[in-house]
Amino acid sequence: MPARSCLSIPMLVLLAACGFPDSARGQGAQVAKGVQFLKSRGPETDPGQAALAALAMIKAGVPKDDQALQETVKTALRASTSDGYAPARSGGADIYETGVACMMMANLDPVAYRPMLRSAAAYLIGKQKSNGAWDYSARTGDTGDCSISQYAVLGLWEAENAGIRVPPSVWERAARWYMSVQRGGGWNYHPDAPSPPTVSMTAAGTGSIMICRMQLAPYKKRRSRPISPLLTPLIPDSDLAEYRVGLTDSQFEQAIGQGIAWIARNFRPGQDTLFGPSSYYGLYGCERVGGLGEQDQFGSVDWFRVGGQYIVSSQGGDGSWNAQYDAIPNTSWALLFLTRATEKSMARIKVERLASGTLLGGRGLPENLENLTVAQGRVVVRPMNGAIDEMLAVLEDARADGTESALSGLIDRYFTSGSLALKPYKDRFRVLLLDGIPSQRLTAAWALARTGDLDVVPDLIAALEDPNDEVVATARYGLGLISRRLDGFGPPPNADAEQKRASAERWRAWYESVRPPELVD
């Protein structure tokens, strides 16, 4: 990626790229108007559209206790009861509705909605066809619908990340079906029909295969050495041992690579023959591919810049966007694109694994077991309440009790208040990163990266040469977030001292090329 990224992109863009609740990536006014439109219309629509509108509001940073959001959620779940989830529609529309409802509940409150999430995930799994696809009920035989299938995959992905187990065979069957119906790198709506591929459906196929690969990855890992909880979903060893993935890495890479190349060749929003009847629908699909793959470009195409320009230029006076499928879905898809919704989900998943990884299987449990609770299917520590000063005081004392609770509280405050909660304490985190024990250095690297400020880059570069591999990995990921070069300059996992030093030098060269005058010594 050219070195222009950290100079020409406003800091708000960088913060949103790191998963902060600041919603707009430079389009704050457009996002705010779109949110107001959804607030005014969301409670009045059907459950499927309401779930999509609620998801877009959540990703745009609307507080979870907002009255309009709560009313929209109530509409989305109006067919459900305290006993479990039920869609209001049938015939194929139920798959859309259930998939988006899973996404909404997982992002709203996965603990409170756990029974409904489990019920909704079971519904989606039960609707999967033997060939691995999902489809309209009126279409019988060995068929499938690329659009419906992608929302089933999305819903199950968010459900599994919230602690609901999805059998690995579900992921492999879905991936095999998508691979079997790819044509020339692209996908169309119904592979048994003669219609040409579109960007919307190619993004659906590519993104779905990327999710399936991600969820199957733990089953492909060798168990001969420990796997970092930062890198893999938290799946019991017994499950890992009893399933063998038949698809190879090269099969996944080929299908995904061809899909991205097809999108890059045809990425022209507004052209229905290429994108499909709603460019906003397709752009949200492309955002998922970019977010899942952690890439800013498809080939030479800066997909976020090009797509964002189209969205901003086509917003209506009432704050909505409209095309086929009506204003509420199109406005929701436009907002999900502008707020980089998938990127936020990826950041949340990684942070949750960082927060809870040391507590798995009884390892690292605090002495005061009264602070333990269970969330999303695993043991975690109750977040510490109070001021961040108090949390930091606990974290700074390597002998103090309650460090896990303080770390959980710090992460909880970050997701509540964003980067502004961490910025005033950068110097204290710097001290921890320089002089702390490994767990303190790991916390400090995580926190400094999520301030989103360029002035912490030298500290994170220095941490690339830390003797602890998890500190190095956290610093490397943080530099990728701030620079928006998520592939970055390494170092690779388990790097030796020379590799760490070489990567640090490459990061320093990048920093020298982009830092503004006020950060020059």
Side-chain angles (χ1 to χ4, degrees), residues 442-464:
L442 184 65
T443 299
W446 173 86
L448 287 171
R450 278 142 185 90
T451 66
D453 287 344
L454 273 176
D455 65 351
V456 307
V457 166
D459 305 286
L460 294 174
I461 292 174
L464 294 177

Side-chain angles (χ1 to χ4, degrees), residues 198-484:
T198 64
V199 170
S200 297
M201 287 302 95
T202 302
T206 305
S208 295
I209 291 175
M210 293 170 87
I211 288 173
C212 293
R213 179 179 65 174
M214 189 186 313
Q215 301 312 103
L216 288 169
Y219 299 94
K220 296 172 73 70
K221 295 286 185 182
R222 297 179 62 89
R223 304 304 298 182
S224 58
R225 60 181 177 82
I227 298 174
S228 169
L230 305 181
L231 302 178
T232 61
L234 308 173
I235 296 175
D237 287 356
S238 59
D239 289 345
L240 290 170
E242 67 189 25
Y243 189 83
R244 294 292 180 265
V245 180
L247 290 169
T248 65
D249 291 338
S250 61
Q251 286 175 293
F252 279 108
E253 290 165 5
Q254 181 178 9
I256 292 168
Q258 289 180 353
I260 291 175
W262 197 98
I263 294 171
R265 294 194 301 269
N266 296 280
F267 195 84
R268 290 187 285 282
Q271 294 193 16
D272 290 355
T273 55
L274 291 173
F275 253 78
S278 169
S279 288
Y280 310 110
Y281 172 77
L283 285 169
Y284 173 43
C286 292
E287 183 276 331
R288 290 198 303 277
V289 173
L292 291 164
E294 298 182 334
Q295 55 191 107
D296 288 326
Q297 293 186 321
F298 300 149
S300 61
V301 178
D302 185 336
W303 58 267
F304 185 77
R305 181 183 61 80
V306 175
Q309 288 175 345
Y310 172 79
I311 289 175
V312 169
S313 67
S314 57
Q315 187 174 27
D318 61 354
S320 70
W321 287 270
N322 207 350
Q324 186 170 324
Y325 313 122
D326 299 325
I328 291 176
N330 282 288
T331 301
S332 301
W333 292 321
L335 291 176
L336 290 166
F337 179 94
L338 291 178
T339 58
R340 300 291 283 260
T342 306
E343 205 168 84
K344 290 184 176 183
S345 289
M346 294 291 288
R348 186 191 76 243
I349 292 164
K350 290 176 181 179
V351 170
E352 286 173 352
R353 289 173 191 161
L354 171 66
S356 63
T358 58
L359 300 177
L360 295 177
R363 291 176 286 109
L365 290 177
E367 293 182 5
N368 181 8
L369 297 183
E370 292 181 358
N371 283 335
L372 288 180
T373 187
V374 175
Q376 300 181 29
R378 53 187 186 264
V379 178
V380 296
V381 171
R382 293 189 184 95
M384 179 178 175
N385 294 319
I388 288 184
D389 270 318
E390 298 171 0
M391 300 175 197
L392 264 175
V394 173
L395 292 168
E396 288 166 339
D397 185 351
R399 300 166 299 177
D401 293 331
T403 53
E404 296 91 352
S405 182
L407 174 58
S408 183
L410 188 69
I411 292 171
D412 186 67
R413 188 64 54 82
Y414 158 71
F415 276 109
T416 302
S417 304
S419 61
L420 295 178
L422 304 175
K423 286 175 180 285
Y425 305 99
K426 286 190 290 188
D427 287 340
R428 292 173 69 176
F429 287 123
R430 286 183 170 110
V431 172
L432 280 179
L433 186 60
L434 186 64
D435 298 326
I437 63 175
S439 61
Q440 291 172 322
R441 302 197 304 272
L442 184 65
T443 299
W446 173 86
L448 287 171
R450 278 142 185 90
T451 66
D453 287 344
L454 273 176
D455 65 351
V456 307
V457 166
D459 305 286
L460 294 174
I461 292 174
L464 294 177
E465 299 188 67
D466 193 282
N468 182 280
D469 285 340
E470 286 196 343
V471 175
V472 174
T474 302
R476 180 182 66 239
Y477 183 70
L479 288 166
L481 289 177
I482 292 175
S483 67
R484 297 186 70 218

Side-chain angles (χ1 to χ4, degrees), residues 3-20:
R4 55 118 181 128
S5 53
C6 284
L7 286 176
S8 62
I9 299 174
M11 187 54 64
L12 180 62
V13 173
L14 294 176
L15 297 179
C18 298
F20 295 129

